[in-house]
mmCIF file of all heavy atoms in Angstrom:
data_model
loop_
_atom_site.group_PDB
_atom_site.id
_atom_site.type_symbol
_atom_site.label_atom_id
_atom_site.label_comp_id
_atom_site.label_asym_id
_atom_site.label_seq_id
_atom_site.Cartn_x
_atom_site.Cartn_y
_atom_site.Cartn_z
ATOM 1 N N GLN A 176 44.805 -16.785 -37.925
ATOM 2 C CA GLN A 176 46.147 -17.205 -37.630
ATOM 3 C C GLN A 176 46.474 -18.532 -38.330
ATOM 4 O O GLN A 176 45.652 -19.462 -38.220
ATOM 5 C CB GLN A 176 46.366 -17.363 -36.131
ATOM 6 C CG GLN A 176 46.024 -16.169 -35.372
ATOM 7 C CD GLN A 176 46.759 -14.961 -35.805
ATOM 8 O OE1 GLN A 176 47.975 -14.883 -35.797
ATOM 9 N NE2 GLN A 176 46.021 -13.848 -36.164
ATOM 10 N N PRO A 177 47.591 -18.632 -39.051
ATOM 11 C CA PRO A 177 47.975 -19.914 -39.660
ATOM 12 C C PRO A 177 48.237 -21.008 -38.607
ATOM 13 O O PRO A 177 48.585 -20.736 -37.487
ATOM 14 C CB PRO A 177 49.289 -19.592 -40.423
ATOM 15 C CG PRO A 177 49.328 -18.157 -40.522
ATOM 16 C CD PRO A 177 48.584 -17.664 -39.299
ATOM 17 N N GLU A 178 47.934 -22.313 -38.981
ATOM 18 C CA GLU A 178 48.173 -23.389 -37.995
ATOM 19 C C GLU A 178 49.635 -23.466 -37.470
ATOM 20 O O GLU A 178 49.810 -23.803 -36.316
ATOM 21 C CB GLU A 178 47.829 -24.693 -38.712
ATOM 22 C CG GLU A 178 46.322 -24.982 -38.856
ATOM 23 C CD GLU A 178 46.002 -26.278 -39.499
ATOM 24 O OE1 GLU A 178 46.922 -26.933 -40.070
ATOM 25 O OE2 GLU A 178 44.869 -26.669 -39.439
ATOM 26 N N ARG A 179 50.549 -23.006 -38.319
ATOM 27 C CA ARG A 179 51.989 -23.091 -37.832
ATOM 28 C C ARG A 179 52.179 -22.111 -36.752
ATOM 29 O O ARG A 179 52.858 -22.361 -35.775
ATOM 30 C CB ARG A 179 52.929 -22.752 -39.026
ATOM 31 C CG ARG A 179 53.262 -23.920 -39.960
ATOM 32 C CD ARG A 179 54.189 -23.477 -41.077
ATOM 33 N NE ARG A 179 54.629 -24.591 -41.867
ATOM 34 C CZ ARG A 179 55.865 -25.027 -41.894
ATOM 35 N NH1 ARG A 179 56.771 -24.446 -41.183
ATOM 36 N NH2 ARG A 179 56.158 -26.057 -42.654
ATOM 37 N N GLN A 180 51.607 -20.900 -36.895
ATOM 38 C CA GLN A 180 51.743 -19.876 -35.858
ATOM 39 C C GLN A 180 51.069 -20.280 -34.591
ATOM 40 O O GLN A 180 51.611 -20.109 -33.425
ATOM 41 C CB GLN A 180 51.216 -18.542 -36.307
ATOM 42 C CG GLN A 180 51.420 -17.407 -35.368
ATOM 43 C CD GLN A 180 50.937 -16.029 -35.905
ATOM 44 O OE1 GLN A 180 50.866 -15.865 -37.135
ATOM 45 N NE2 GLN A 180 50.740 -15.115 -34.989
ATOM 46 N N ILE A 181 49.859 -20.892 -34.622
ATOM 47 C CA ILE A 181 49.134 -21.281 -33.529
ATOM 48 C C ILE A 181 49.942 -22.456 -32.731
ATOM 49 O O ILE A 181 50.050 -22.446 -31.599
ATOM 50 C CB ILE A 181 47.707 -21.781 -33.810
ATOM 51 C CG1 ILE A 181 46.889 -20.629 -34.374
ATOM 52 C CG2 ILE A 181 47.006 -22.330 -32.607
ATOM 53 C CD1 ILE A 181 45.501 -21.108 -34.919
ATOM 54 N N THR A 182 50.516 -23.324 -33.565
ATOM 55 C CA THR A 182 51.303 -24.398 -33.016
ATOM 56 C C THR A 182 52.476 -23.887 -32.280
ATOM 57 O O THR A 182 52.770 -24.344 -31.120
ATOM 58 C CB THR A 182 51.809 -25.346 -34.186
ATOM 59 O OG1 THR A 182 50.594 -25.945 -34.822
ATOM 60 C CG2 THR A 182 52.610 -26.486 -33.667
ATOM 61 N N ALA A 183 53.200 -22.912 -32.833
ATOM 62 C CA ALA A 183 54.377 -22.383 -32.226
ATOM 63 C C ALA A 183 53.948 -21.661 -30.853
ATOM 64 O O ALA A 183 54.669 -21.790 -29.862
ATOM 65 C CB ALA A 183 55.006 -21.345 -33.045
ATOM 66 N N GLU A 184 52.785 -20.976 -30.885
ATOM 67 C CA GLU A 184 52.338 -20.278 -29.675
ATOM 68 C C GLU A 184 51.945 -21.376 -28.623
ATOM 69 O O GLU A 184 52.159 -21.123 -27.447
ATOM 70 C CB GLU A 184 51.169 -19.386 -30.000
ATOM 71 C CG GLU A 184 51.517 -18.143 -30.706
ATOM 72 C CD GLU A 184 52.369 -17.180 -29.826
ATOM 73 O OE1 GLU A 184 51.775 -16.403 -29.138
ATOM 74 O OE2 GLU A 184 53.587 -17.318 -29.804
ATOM 75 N N ILE A 185 51.319 -22.439 -28.986
ATOM 76 C CA ILE A 185 50.946 -23.515 -28.021
ATOM 77 C C ILE A 185 52.280 -23.969 -27.291
ATOM 78 O O ILE A 185 52.211 -24.128 -26.020
ATOM 79 C CB ILE A 185 50.306 -24.649 -28.711
ATOM 80 C CG1 ILE A 185 48.893 -24.314 -29.156
ATOM 81 C CG2 ILE A 185 50.285 -25.986 -27.788
ATOM 82 C CD1 ILE A 185 48.188 -25.312 -29.969
ATOM 83 N N ILE A 186 53.286 -24.206 -27.971
ATOM 84 C CA ILE A 186 54.614 -24.675 -27.428
ATOM 85 C C ILE A 186 55.110 -23.643 -26.508
ATOM 86 O O ILE A 186 55.565 -23.963 -25.343
ATOM 87 C CB ILE A 186 55.574 -25.031 -28.586
ATOM 88 C CG1 ILE A 186 54.990 -26.282 -29.332
ATOM 89 C CG2 ILE A 186 56.912 -25.329 -27.971
ATOM 90 C CD1 ILE A 186 55.775 -26.509 -30.708
ATOM 91 N N ARG A 187 55.105 -22.416 -26.906
ATOM 92 C CA ARG A 187 55.568 -21.251 -26.060
ATOM 93 C C ARG A 187 54.765 -21.190 -24.783
ATOM 94 O O ARG A 187 55.255 -20.948 -23.677
ATOM 95 C CB ARG A 187 55.611 -19.973 -26.818
ATOM 96 C CG ARG A 187 56.385 -18.876 -26.064
ATOM 97 C CD ARG A 187 56.637 -17.702 -27.009
ATOM 98 N NE ARG A 187 55.473 -16.999 -27.437
ATOM 99 C CZ ARG A 187 54.901 -16.026 -26.633
ATOM 100 N NH1 ARG A 187 55.362 -15.671 -25.593
ATOM 101 N NH2 ARG A 187 53.797 -15.481 -27.218
ATOM 102 N N GLU A 188 53.408 -21.518 -24.863
ATOM 103 C CA GLU A 188 52.556 -21.391 -23.680
ATOM 104 C C GLU A 188 52.931 -22.457 -22.802
ATOM 105 O O GLU A 188 52.999 -22.200 -21.439
ATOM 106 C CB GLU A 188 51.104 -21.597 -24.064
ATOM 107 C CG GLU A 188 50.090 -21.632 -23.038
ATOM 108 C CD GLU A 188 48.762 -22.043 -23.380
ATOM 109 O OE1 GLU A 188 48.605 -23.160 -23.916
ATOM 110 O OE2 GLU A 188 47.841 -21.355 -23.065
ATOM 111 N N LYS A 189 53.280 -23.691 -23.151
ATOM 112 C CA LYS A 189 53.589 -24.731 -22.229
ATOM 113 C C LYS A 189 54.987 -24.445 -21.577
ATOM 114 O O LYS A 189 55.229 -24.711 -20.445
ATOM 115 C CB LYS A 189 53.748 -26.066 -22.948
ATOM 116 C CG LYS A 189 52.412 -26.440 -23.641
ATOM 117 C CD LYS A 189 51.171 -26.253 -22.797
ATOM 118 C CE LYS A 189 49.921 -26.578 -23.521
ATOM 119 N NZ LYS A 189 48.686 -26.281 -22.706
ATOM 120 N N ALA A 190 55.909 -23.768 -22.332
ATOM 121 C CA ALA A 190 57.159 -23.329 -21.832
ATOM 122 C C ALA A 190 56.935 -22.340 -20.711
ATOM 123 O O ALA A 190 57.609 -22.339 -19.671
ATOM 124 C CB ALA A 190 58.127 -22.856 -22.839
ATOM 125 N N LEU A 191 56.010 -21.339 -20.933
ATOM 126 C CA LEU A 191 55.678 -20.369 -19.960
ATOM 127 C C LEU A 191 55.175 -20.928 -18.715
ATOM 128 O O LEU A 191 55.385 -20.504 -17.597
ATOM 129 C CB LEU A 191 54.653 -19.420 -20.532
ATOM 130 C CG LEU A 191 55.099 -18.311 -21.507
ATOM 131 C CD1 LEU A 191 53.895 -17.689 -22.294
ATOM 132 C CD2 LEU A 191 55.932 -17.295 -20.834
ATOM 133 N N GLN A 192 54.369 -22.068 -18.924
ATOM 134 C CA GLN A 192 53.696 -22.762 -17.804
ATOM 135 C C GLN A 192 54.649 -23.430 -16.876
ATOM 136 O O GLN A 192 54.585 -23.338 -15.643
ATOM 137 C CB GLN A 192 52.720 -23.746 -18.347
ATOM 138 C CG GLN A 192 51.959 -24.508 -17.255
ATOM 139 C CD GLN A 192 50.937 -25.487 -17.919
ATOM 140 O OE1 GLN A 192 50.532 -25.310 -19.067
ATOM 141 N NE2 GLN A 192 50.512 -26.455 -17.182
ATOM 142 N N TYR A 193 55.747 -23.990 -17.457
ATOM 143 C CA TYR A 193 56.628 -24.907 -16.678
ATOM 144 C C TYR A 193 57.956 -24.311 -16.260
ATOM 145 O O TYR A 193 58.599 -24.810 -15.347
ATOM 146 C CB TYR A 193 56.899 -26.200 -17.452
ATOM 147 C CG TYR A 193 55.696 -27.153 -17.544
ATOM 148 C CD1 TYR A 193 55.161 -27.374 -18.808
ATOM 149 C CD2 TYR A 193 55.179 -27.660 -16.415
ATOM 150 C CE1 TYR A 193 53.979 -28.205 -18.969
ATOM 151 C CE2 TYR A 193 54.021 -28.476 -16.564
ATOM 152 C CZ TYR A 193 53.499 -28.778 -17.839
ATOM 153 O OH TYR A 193 52.413 -29.537 -17.921
ATOM 154 N N LEU A 194 58.411 -23.203 -16.986
ATOM 155 C CA LEU A 194 59.809 -22.793 -16.763
ATOM 156 C C LEU A 194 59.771 -21.632 -15.710
ATOM 157 O O LEU A 194 58.783 -20.964 -15.447
ATOM 158 C CB LEU A 194 60.395 -22.261 -18.041
ATOM 159 C CG LEU A 194 60.659 -23.349 -19.065
ATOM 160 C CD1 LEU A 194 61.097 -22.798 -20.376
ATOM 161 C CD2 LEU A 194 61.742 -24.362 -18.573
ATOM 162 N N GLN A 195 60.944 -21.263 -15.194
ATOM 163 C CA GLN A 195 61.169 -20.296 -14.228
ATOM 164 C C GLN A 195 60.900 -18.885 -14.815
ATOM 165 O O GLN A 195 60.994 -18.753 -16.028
ATOM 166 C CB GLN A 195 62.591 -20.287 -13.732
ATOM 167 C CG GLN A 195 63.019 -21.628 -13.003
ATOM 168 C CD GLN A 195 64.459 -21.692 -12.693
ATOM 169 O OE1 GLN A 195 65.160 -20.694 -12.741
ATOM 170 N NE2 GLN A 195 64.954 -22.867 -12.367
ATOM 171 N N ASP A 196 60.540 -17.962 -13.997
ATOM 172 C CA ASP A 196 60.068 -16.635 -14.440
ATOM 173 C C ASP A 196 61.022 -15.927 -15.349
ATOM 174 O O ASP A 196 60.635 -15.224 -16.267
ATOM 175 C CB ASP A 196 59.830 -15.716 -13.287
ATOM 176 C CG ASP A 196 58.563 -16.146 -12.516
ATOM 177 O OD1 ASP A 196 57.774 -16.978 -13.043
ATOM 178 O OD2 ASP A 196 58.316 -15.665 -11.405
ATOM 179 N N GLU A 197 62.302 -16.015 -15.153
ATOM 180 C CA GLU A 197 63.319 -15.230 -15.954
ATOM 181 C C GLU A 197 63.581 -15.823 -17.326
ATOM 182 O O GLU A 197 64.112 -15.143 -18.193
ATOM 183 C CB GLU A 197 64.683 -15.085 -15.110
ATOM 184 C CG GLU A 197 65.470 -16.416 -15.076
ATOM 185 C CD GLU A 197 65.134 -17.262 -13.830
ATOM 186 O OE1 GLU A 197 64.031 -17.023 -13.254
ATOM 187 O OE2 GLU A 197 65.951 -18.121 -13.560
ATOM 188 N N ILE A 198 63.150 -17.016 -17.551
ATOM 189 C CA ILE A 198 63.468 -17.674 -18.841
ATOM 190 C C ILE A 198 62.439 -17.377 -19.925
ATOM 191 O O ILE A 198 62.831 -17.062 -21.038
ATOM 192 C CB ILE A 198 63.648 -19.256 -18.579
ATOM 193 C CG1 ILE A 198 64.766 -19.480 -17.724
ATOM 194 C CG2 ILE A 198 63.874 -19.904 -19.980
ATOM 195 C CD1 ILE A 198 65.032 -20.960 -17.365
ATOM 196 N N PRO A 199 61.095 -17.552 -19.701
ATOM 197 C CA PRO A 199 60.201 -17.405 -20.774
ATOM 198 C C PRO A 199 60.295 -16.133 -21.702
ATOM 199 O O PRO A 199 60.056 -16.247 -22.896
ATOM 200 C CB PRO A 199 58.873 -17.505 -20.075
ATOM 201 C CG PRO A 199 59.136 -18.262 -18.852
ATOM 202 C CD PRO A 199 60.490 -17.869 -18.361
ATOM 203 N N HIS A 200 60.581 -15.039 -21.141
ATOM 204 C CA HIS A 200 60.652 -13.829 -21.885
ATOM 205 C C HIS A 200 61.722 -13.935 -22.945
ATOM 206 O O HIS A 200 61.717 -13.144 -23.992
ATOM 207 C CB HIS A 200 60.901 -12.629 -21.039
ATOM 208 C CG HIS A 200 59.763 -12.388 -20.047
ATOM 209 N ND1 HIS A 200 58.457 -12.265 -20.396
ATOM 210 C CD2 HIS A 200 59.778 -12.290 -18.632
ATOM 211 C CE1 HIS A 200 57.731 -12.140 -19.313
ATOM 212 N NE2 HIS A 200 58.504 -12.096 -18.267
#
């Protein structure tokens, strides 16, 4: 996986962690 893709996924993971259930999808 390119570093850019892993970086984007890390940010999405943190959003999944902190946001309400209906938003992350």
Side-chain angles (χ1 to χ4, degrees):
Q176 308 302 303
E178 286 182 344
R179 278 178 174 247
Q180 184 174 339
I181 298 174
T182 297
E184 286 291 272
I185 287 171
I186 294 164
R187 192 166 66 86
E188 178 188 55
K189 304 312 175 187
L191 284 165
Q192 181 178 339
Y193 291 115
L194 293 171
Q195 299 171 14
D196 288 348
E197 71 272 16
I198 297 176
H200 298 306

